[in-house]
Amino acid sequence: FCDMEPQQFMPAALIGIALYFIKALHIGNPTIMMPLGLLVPLGIFWGVVFASGETVDSMRQQGWLFVEIGNEPFWWVWTDSIGKYGRINFSAWARTLPDLAVFIIVSTMDCVLKIHATESKLPLKPDSDQEAFKFGCFNYILAACGAATGYMQL
């Protein structure tokens, strides 16, 4: 869909850069500025869309929106894959392994750094090994349910 097409990439990059500098330079209250920085551009976009007489379907045809994807039952993650190896695209899966390795390292480092930051900011001493183990266990549960890992920065 996107593949760095300017109509999708440029607005996202500009909004992201603006939000970065708003946060980095401590402009305003982040609990107000961050949601506004995400919602105001959306409001402007949809205002222009509807003011120009366009519809959601016409915006999809022009490439401004994703194609419509229907909802599927959550259990299909298991029923459509377990024991049905012909339906698994192993080459696509293999291409994600380098990203997975990097994300495991980043996620674990973030967990450990957060635990040590907790020690310096709160009057308690968490057990680093136990907390990291719990973090890993819950990430396995999230992955088994098809969810993203629990990244502590979010």
Side-chain angles (χ1 to χ4, degrees), residues 89-100:
N89 185 343
F90 285 103
S91 64
W93 175 76
R95 285 193 306 262
T96 66
L97 291 178
D99 294 332
L100 178 63

Side-chain angles (χ1 to χ4, degrees), residues 69-76:
I69 299 172
N71 291 326
E72 303 292 347
F74 72 91
W75 58 85
W76 282 11

Side-chain angles (χ1 to χ4, degrees), residues 16-35:
I17 291 168
L19 286 174
Y20 169 79
F21 282 110
I22 286 171
K23 189 166 190 261
L25 300 174
H26 303 289
I27 299 172
N29 183 348
T31 59
I32 295 171
M33 297 304 289
M34 288 296 140

Side-chain angles (χ1 to χ4, degrees), residues 45-46 48-62 64-65:
F45 173 79
W46 287 109
V48 169
V49 167
F50 293 126
S52 64
E54 297 287 341
T55 64
V56 173
D57 290 330
S58 67
M59 295 305 287
R60 285 189 204 284
Q61 291 171 351
Q62 294 174 33
W64 284 97
L65 299 174

Side-chain angles (χ1 to χ4, degrees), residues 68-129:
E68 191 168 356
I69 299 172
N71 291 326
E72 303 292 347
F74 72 91
W75 58 85
W76 282 11
V77 172
W78 297 289
T79 60
D80 281 1
S81 62
I82 295 177
K84 298 177 183 170
Y85 300 111
R87 298 187 74 168
I88 299 173
N89 185 343
F90 285 103
S91 64
W93 175 76
R95 285 193 306 262
T96 66
L97 291 178
D99 294 332
L100 178 63
V102 169
F103 192 74
I104 287 171
I105 293 167
V106 168
S107 184
T108 304
M109 286 175 53
D110 180 62
C111 173
V112 172
L113 290 172
K114 289 294 179 191
I115 291 168
H116 290 295
T118 300
E119 291 176 1
S120 66
K121 296 189 186 233
L122 296 175
L124 55 97
K125 179 125 174 81
D127 180 5
S128 298
D129 292 338

Side-chain angles (χ1 to χ4, degrees), residues 6 77 109 130 134 140:
V77 172
M109 286 175 53
Q130 183 182 10
K134 288 178 187 174
Y140 279 117

